[in-house]
Amino acid sequence: VGRGAGHCRLTVDERGVTPARRLLVVGIGAGDPGFVTAQAVEALGGTDVVLVIDKGEEKDELAAVRREVLARFVPQERCRIVTVHDTVRDPALRYEDAVERWHGERVERLERALLDEVTDGETTAILVWGDPGLYDSTLRLVGELRRRGRIALEVEVVPGISSLQVLAAQHGIALNQVGRSLLVTTGRRLREDGVPSGIDDVVVVLDGGTAFTTLAGAGFDIYWGAYLGLPDEVLVAGPLDEVAAGIAETKAAARARKGWVFDTYLLRRRTTS
Ligand SMILES: C[S@@+](CC[C@H](N)C(=O)[O-])C[C@H]1O[C@@H](n2cnc3c(N)ncnc32)[C@H](O)[C@@H]1O
């Protein structure tokens, strides 16, 4: 049964259920197109539609990496690229409310794209920066899509190389110490909660400022990386108290020059033994 007019290609069987569409959530790595895994290449090779979530112009370089991944690994002759424009989070709202509203709008847009642009039996891929399992909302949005029940989806996730792994590789370090815990958190949480007792190693992502400065004088080393895997990559490592001001300056200058900055860092408590 064809449902709706025009380009809507959703079909519904006699029980009112749509046949499942295969949706691949593909991690493309956190920078260098060389981070795209063999499994991701294979998945993209069998894709009919790629949904690209466009996060605006400011992070142009990230869009360029995505374009390169598309050009290199997606069979252009038979695959359609569909851009879904992302909405922006309302800064006037309380953070949690803004995120909730923002997610709702994004679910709507994704659902619309899947209904309007994909035919039954086709495979769709969504490209995700880094790894889909780490500080990325795509899998939550897809979960919400499934709960809404308008489209039956068979979802597969292809893991990607995350910014954490690139940070460790570029500094040539292990993120954890032998048998110890590793906390992964955000700049906001670090600023508000500090480092819990018993934790000596903390990886921080999504730091819009310089949350590491809140640990001045607390005996930490820092391994910092910005634009990891990208041509402008910057790495700094050393005792936090000695290098924090330099990192803050470098970060501010990079943001002023390029309009955006992505940085990830490990804070490691120095032990006296
Ligand atoms: C929304 S999270 C996405 C994380 C991603 N899913 C991953 O696996 O790395 C964005 C944050 O990841 C970190 N990040 C992602 N790519 C990065 C890169 N190339 N260099 C430095 N940090 C990066 C930054 O902390 C940035 O604020």
Side-chain angles (χ1 to χ4, degrees):
V1 181
R3 210 196 70 163
H7 49 236
C8 181
R9 301 197 193 94
L10 179 73
T11 56
V12 181
D13 71 10
E14 61 281 359
R15 291 159 302 146
V17 179
T18 61
R21 286 149 201 235
R22 196 160 163 253
L23 179 66
L24 309 174
V25 180
V26 182
I28 61 164
D32 192 322
F35 294 156
V36 177
T37 65
Q39 195 185 18
V41 172
E42 197 180 317
L44 293 173
T47 293
D48 301 293
V49 179
V50 176
L51 290 186
V52 173
I53 301 180
D54 174 15
K55 302 198 181 223
E57 293 313 302
E58 139 208 35
K59 292 179 185 137
D60 241 356
E61 209 172 329
L62 307 190
V65 170
R66 230 173 23 209
R67 275 196 299 275
E68 192 177 337
V69 169
L70 289 171
R72 268 169 70 174
F73 303 119
V74 172
Q76 304 288 317
E77 56 301 338
R78 59 167 204 74
C79 180
R80 304 192 300 283
I81 315 281
V82 174
T83 303
V84 181
H85 295 284
D86 208 359
T87 56
V88 265
R89 180 157 49 82
D90 184 349
L93 293 177
R94 197 172 65 99
Y95 181 76
E96 287 73 14
D97 296 339
V99 167
E100 202 185 314
R101 180 182 298 181
W102 180 45
H103 279 201
E105 286 166 6
R106 297 168 88 197
V107 170
E108 300 263 332
R109 286 181 187 212
L110 260 186
E111 188 174 68
R112 226 15 313 137
L114 284 165
L115 287 172
D116 290 353
E117 306 286 350
V118 184
T119 307
D120 292 341
E122 288 189 322
T123 297
T124 306
I126 302 182
L127 304 187
V128 174
W129 189 261
D131 180 68
L134 189 79
Y135 286 98
D136 185 274
S137 49
T138 309
L139 289 175
R140 259 187 302 278
L141 298 181
V142 168
E144 181 56 28
L145 270 183
R146 296 175 92 172
R147 265 189 300 281
R148 286 158 72 104
R150 292 190 65 195
I151 316 169
L153 292 173
E154 264 167 30
V155 180
E156 285 166 46
V157 180
V158 178
I161 294 180
S162 72
S163 50
L164 270 64
Q165 291 159 298
V166 185
L167 177 78
Q170 307 303 60
H171 281 289
I173 53 165
L175 295 176
N176 65 291
Q177 299 185 65
V178 181
R180 305 279 308 184
S181 301
L182 173 70
L183 173 67
V184 180
T185 191
T186 64
R188 171 184 293 258
R189 291 269 63 85
L190 179 68
R191 216 170 31 247
E192 293 180 7
D193 305 340
V195 178
S197 67
I199 296 286
D200 292 338
D201 296 280
V202 184
V203 173
V204 181
V205 294
L206 286 167
D207 183 359
T210 52
F212 50 83
T213 56
T214 58
L215 292 181
F220 279 86
D221 288 328
I222 185 168
Y223 298 85
W224 182 79
Y227 311 113
L228 292 161
L230 294 164
D232 286 323
E233 179 178 274
V234 198
L235 301 172
V236 177
L240 182 64
D241 294 348
E242 289 172 27
V243 298
I247 293 174
E249 257 173 52
T250 305
K251 186 167 175 176
R255 181 180 278 125
R257 194 174 72 251
K258 290 165 73 79
W260 65 280
V261 59
F262 257 9
D263 65 333
T264 300
Y265 50 91
L266 171 73
L267 293 162
R268 171 157 292 163
R269 206 188 294 271
R270 220 169 313 125
T271 49
T272 42
S273 58

